[in-house]
Amino acid sequence: MRFDIVTLFPAIFDGYLTQSLLEKAIAKGLVEIHRHNLRDWAADTPHRKVDDRPFGGGPGMLLQVDVTVPCVEDIERMAQTPARKILLTPQGKRFDQRMAEDLATSDRVMLLCGRYEGFDQRVVDLLEPEEVSVGDFVLNGGEVAAMTIIDGVVRLLPGVLGDENSHVDDSFSRGNRLLEFPQYTRPRDFRGHGVPDVLLGGNHEAIAAWRAEQSRIRTKQRRSDLFDEEE
Ligand code: ADE
């Protein structure tokens, strides 16, 4: 799977792309991540301007359509596969596990990271990207949101997680749209806090039933809204 990231701050991704899971997925050839600096598409003037003040007034600066659209068109042509285009914005559709599962079926995704007050509306009108938000809060730009999406998607690609770390039971996942059950490891006792007996008994049916029940209890207490979304 190929990701193309459009950003004014490509270096924000340095640490993230060189950490364990992403680094391994890239080394194994399961994912390619290409960063593109929007400023490289700015007019060849000393300031290489990419933003300007909003017509009608108001605070902040907008990323310009005449820089962004040619940038995206050039990047699109850098590979044969058409890219599914995503523009990160707090006004977008909320990213969730279902969207991650859906994106993981794409061969190529382009992520457009805004800064300042975002993009000129004509970027959206002309390129028709999917507008996606990672939550009801405002970040300083789309970069952390783009990393969130890459992180959620890449771990779903076959071969990225070992079998022993299968994501099927994860909270919100295909195998379990509810919250995950509690888990325990050694020691069996810590400061008088033990481990539920059922987990120590080796009865796999009983363990599965206990986990399913815990999953439902937790979801009811913390996120009862998830019951309405169950398939
Ligand atoms: N850019 C700024 N805030 C954002 C958010 N919540 N989601 C996606 N992109 C953003």
Side-chain angles (χ1 to χ4, degrees), residues 40-59:
D40 294 343
W41 276 266
D44 200 3
T45 57
H47 286 107
R48 300 197 72 90
K49 224 165 83 67
V50 292
D51 58 345
D52 211 333
R53 294 188 305 276
F55 283 122

Side-chain angles (χ1 to χ4, degrees), residues 88-90 132-142 145:
L88 285 320
T89 163
V132 173
S133 164
V134 296
D136 291 343
F137 41 78
V138 180
L139 301 169
N140 286 317

Side-chain angles (χ1 to χ4, degrees), residues 50-203:
V50 292
D51 58 345
D52 211 333
R53 294 188 305 276
F55 283 122
M61 301 286 270
L62 293 172
L63 295 169
Q64 290 172 277
V65 63
D66 54 335
V67 181
T68 309
V69 168
C71 165
V72 169
E73 287 169 348
D74 284 351
I75 294 167
E76 180 81 55
R77 284 192 288 268
M78 289 178 188
Q80 299 250 303
T81 322
R84 188 162 162 184
K85 290 189 264 316
I86 293 188
L87 187 149
L88 285 320
T89 163
Q91 283 112 51
K93 179 175 175 198
R94 180 90 67 87
F95 180 64
D96 62 9
Q97 194 64 25
R98 277 187 175 82
M99 198 188 292
E101 288 166 5
D102 185 38
L103 285 171
T105 66
S106 309
D107 291 326
R108 188 176 177 206
V109 171
M110 194 187 308
L111 297 160
L112 310 182
C113 304
R115 278 269 146 180
Y116 319 118
E117 287 298 304
F119 291 93
D120 183 306
Q121 176 59 33
R122 291 166 292 180
V123 169
V124 175
D125 299 342
L126 288 162
L127 299 173
E128 301 184 328
E130 297 167 60
E131 294 178 85
V132 173
S133 164
V134 296
D136 291 343
F137 41 78
V138 180
L139 301 169
N140 286 317
E143 286 77 9
V144 172
M147 280 188 259
T148 303
I149 290 177
I150 294 170
D151 210 72
V153 171
V154 164
R155 62 195 298 284
L156 302 178
L157 300 177
V160 170
L161 293 186
D163 252 3
E164 70 281 10
N165 293 318
S166 167
H167 50 76
V168 175
D169 289 333
D170 284 353
S171 298
F172 318 112
S173 293
R174 230 172 338 160
N176 173 29
R177 292 288 177 203
L178 306 181
L179 300 183
E180 204 178 27
F181 43 82
Q183 304 234 58
Y184 301 83
T185 185
R186 283 183 288 189
R188 283 190 181 204
D189 183 85
F190 183 69
R191 298 184 181 170
H193 289 256
V195 174
D197 287 337
V198 63
L199 299 177
L200 306 171
N203 178 340

